[in-house]
């Protein structure tokens, strides 16, 4: 998986948003009109979420798409100088 660290960070963020509302994975899945396994796979970094699902999740959580994808990700890698 290409950006596993980012997927893990997003999954944790989504879980925090869901749990802050007191929702189960099934409840979020129902409101967002996605399957419970999809929510599970996103939260456990087993699925790289698509734009249409991101929009559905933001609408279900009643937040902006920008807020949904605003989370602390991995620290940027230091730049590598050519020839090193």
């Amino acid at each position: 998986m290409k950006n596993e660290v980012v997927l893990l960070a997003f999954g944790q963020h989504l879980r925090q948003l869901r749990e802050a509302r007191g929702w189960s994975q099934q409840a979020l899945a129902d409101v967002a009109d996605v399957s419970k396994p999809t929510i599970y796979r996103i939260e456990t970094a087993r699925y790289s979420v698509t734009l249409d699902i991101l929009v559905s999740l933001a609408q279900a959580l009643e937040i902006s798409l920008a807020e949904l994808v605003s989370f602390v990700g991995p620290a940027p890698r230091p730049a590598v100088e050519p020839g090193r």
Side-chain angles (χ1 to χ4, degrees), residues 1-20:
M1 198 167 287
K2 188 170 184 178
N3 289 308
E4 189 171 357
V5 175
V6 172
L7 295 177
L8 280 167
F10 178 72
Q12 290 171 350
H13 177 64
L14 179 61
R15 183 177 182 178
Q16 289 170 346
L17 291 169
R18 175 180 61 77
E19 289 178 343

Side-chain angles (χ1 to χ4, degrees), residues 4-83:
E4 189 171 357
V5 175
V6 172
L7 295 177
L8 280 167
F10 178 72
Q12 290 171 350
H13 177 64
L14 179 61
R15 183 177 182 178
Q16 289 170 346
L17 291 169
R18 175 180 61 77
E19 289 178 343
R21 287 159 179 76
W23 290 359
S24 65
Q25 289 180 341
Q26 186 64 60
L28 176 55
D30 290 345
V31 177
D33 195 27
V34 299
S35 70
K36 180 184 174 191
T38 296
I39 301 299
Y40 170 79
R41 287 191 298 260
I42 294 169
E43 289 185 357
T44 58
R46 289 179 170 86
Y47 177 70
S48 184
V49 66
T50 59
L51 180 59
D52 62 325
I53 292 177
L54 284 173
V55 170
S56 294
L57 291 170
Q59 290 173 342
L61 294 165
E62 297 180 337
I63 60 176
S64 69
L65 183 57
E67 186 176 347
L68 179 62
V69 297
S70 295
F71 59 94
V72 177
R77 293 182 188 162
V80 176
E81 294 180 28

